[in-house]
Each structure stands twice: as structure tokens, then as C-alpha cells.
Amino acid sequence: MRALLVAVLYFGTFLLIGWAAKRVTDHWWTIRGVDLDEVHKQAGRRGERTVFLLGAWRKESDG
């Protein structure tokens, strides 16, 4: 039972922090009128590239 309590506190804390961060960033973007598509347009075309995500290499393009 103690292990379950520790797991809930441990994972629950990460979930709560992640949820709060998402709410704050969504609010911040809404206030400034920024959209994710707009940010991608500002970055410009980057072409195809190789990225490492969750332990695996993959090819990614911005097309």
C-alpha cells in the first residue's frame, strides 16, 4: 500500500506540473494571439532531417 501511495505522489506530481505548464503556455499564447502554425511559418523551411525521439532515430520533413 505504501508503494502505491509513493507512486501516486511521484507520477501525480509530474502530471500536475505538466498540466499546469500546458495551461500557462496556452494562456500566454492566447493573450499574445500566437498560433502554432504561425510559429512554424516563422521558423521557415528546414527540409528533411534526422531526429532522435524516444530512443529511435527517424527522418522528419516539414512538408
Side-chain angles (χ1 to χ4, degrees):
M1 193 61 159
R2 183 172 167 90
L4 180 61
L5 176 64
V6 170
V8 167
L9 287 174
Y10 185 77
F11 293 115
T13 302
F14 282 107
L15 290 173
L16 184 64
I17 290 170
W19 176 79
K22 180 172 179 3
R23 295 287 308 224
V24 167
T25 55
D26 284 347
H27 180 70
W28 187 80
W29 284 31
T30 301
I31 287 174
R32 284 157 182 76
V34 178
D35 190 47
L36 187 58
D37 292 330
E38 189 176 323
V39 173
H40 285 163
K41 287 178 189 173
Q42 289 177 1
R45 304 229 6 116
R46 294 168 31 181
E48 189 172 304
R49 62 193 178 120
T50 304
V51 294
F52 187 77
L53 179 64
L54 299 174
W57 289 95
R58 64 187 184 94
K59 294 223 182 261
E60 180 180 90
S61 66
D62 58 350

